[in-house]
Amino acid sequence: YTLRDKQELETVQGMWNLVVESAQASTGPMPDILAQCLAMIAARIPQAFIPQLASCLEASRTQYAKSFFITTFRTLLADKSTEDQCDKEIKEVLPVVINSISDSDVGIRKLGLLALYTVIQNKTGLFDELSRTIQPTLFAQTMIDESLVRIIPMGPFKKRVDDGLEARKCAYQCVHMLVRNMPDVADTEAVVDSVIRGVADEQEVRTVVQQIVNESATRFPTAYMARLDDLVDAISAMQEKKIGKNAIKQEIEKHQNMLRLTVGVVHTMVQIFPKQAKDDSKFGALVNKLVNTPDSAANASDLVAFYKEIKSPAASSAIAADVGVN
């Protein structure tokens, strides 16, 4: 877009300033339509306004202002109509946006991770140079932050509430997109380490972990082989968990989903390490348990049924297509 004259630029700048001032002074969430407006201006006149957008984010002192400007960046990054015309300016300011994944506020970290996800999904070329420096911070976000965990009394029971779960799930989604779109730059050891942690995480995270395993197992066999015993330990610990006799339907379903996912991870590993699946290693013992589980073992019937289900021709074909196994 080419401005007709200086007066037109001044008019656009005036509109921009009004929105920015409103965002910086806001005591509550800003309307998304205003973020879309700023993103549109930045996309049409990138040389003038993308640097300003980064400066606005750096100058923000409130959660609402930071949230608004990161959302504006995400809108800009996801705008496919701009193609590559903004890439030069975006690349110069991208560190400012991505650094928000280490913000002290978990809500801002989540938005920063969503922005990072959009970059890895749509603009891998812009992230390539930053990947080595950003990955340690990214993988740190896949760890449970105990300071965000609350225990709420509910009558005779206690409920565990993890305020960091949504941000952590976003971090795992970034890892998934990283191994899918940029496997050559991914820190393979950190990927496998996050998988081992994620197996024991909440259901929302475990679902993404399964996707990461499906994408990365055939690409990083050496890294998985090096940590196979640790992965087996994590899976075994989850499979041995029991639910109470008075568990409600929701708890039973959650427990079964957990078991099904761990069995799915084992099946994927069997495709990668068929020899180890049959020897006397920890992994071989785990696979043998799924095939020949005694009825007295914890979760015996469910584990055997899930393994047979996953090994069925239809399921095996789907998994093979997903992980690239022939």
Side-chain angles (χ1 to χ4, degrees), residues 83-243:
E83 296 181 348
D84 300 329
Q85 67 191 49
C86 301
D87 283 2
K88 180 177 179 294
E89 288 76 18
I90 291 175
K91 186 174 183 178
E92 291 176 355
V93 304
L94 193 57
V96 175
V97 186
I98 302 304
N99 284 341
S100 61
I101 70 174
S102 58
D103 193 271
S104 59
D105 184 276
V106 66
I108 299 303
R109 292 202 298 271
K110 176 186 173 182
L111 288 174
L113 288 162
L114 288 171
L116 176 59
Y117 179 90
T118 304
V119 172
I120 302 174
Q121 182 181 43
N122 297 332
K123 295 182 178 292
T124 55
L126 302 185
F127 183 65
D128 192 46
E129 294 181 10
L130 289 173
S131 64
R132 296 297 180 188
T133 56
I134 293 298
Q135 284 189 68
T137 306
L138 168 60
F139 285 106
Q141 299 306 314
T142 65
M143 300 179 185
I144 296 176
D145 184 347
E146 294 295 342
S147 68
L148 296 173
V149 176
R150 297 177 288 129
I151 305 298
I152 302 177
M154 299 182 68
F157 307 102
K158 293 182 179 180
K159 182 179 180 181
R160 186 177 186 273
V161 178
D162 187 346
D163 293 327
L165 176 58
E166 285 300 314
R168 194 163 67 253
K169 177 183 175 182
C170 290
Y172 271 98
Q173 289 172 328
C174 287
V175 174
H176 175 224
M177 193 55 58
L178 181 67
V179 299
R180 168 182 280 187
N181 286 357
M182 306 180 70
D184 293 341
V185 303
D187 183 336
T188 59
E189 293 182 2
V191 170
V192 177
D193 193 44
S194 70
V195 165
I196 294 171
R197 280 197 305 275
V199 166
D201 210 315
E202 299 293 334
Q203 180 64 28
E204 295 89 336
V205 169
R206 288 196 297 266
T207 301
V208 185
V209 167
Q210 176 72 75
Q211 297 170 343
I212 294 172
V213 171
N214 291 350
E215 288 286 349
S216 62
T218 55
R219 290 171 170 167
F220 313 143
T222 302
Y224 274 98
M225 186 66 213
R227 298 294 305 280
L228 191 56
D229 282 355
D230 294 329
L231 180 58
V232 168
D233 289 341
I235 291 172
S236 297
M238 297 302 293
Q239 291 182 346
E240 290 169 5
K241 286 191 173 183
K242 298 180 181 180
I243 54 175

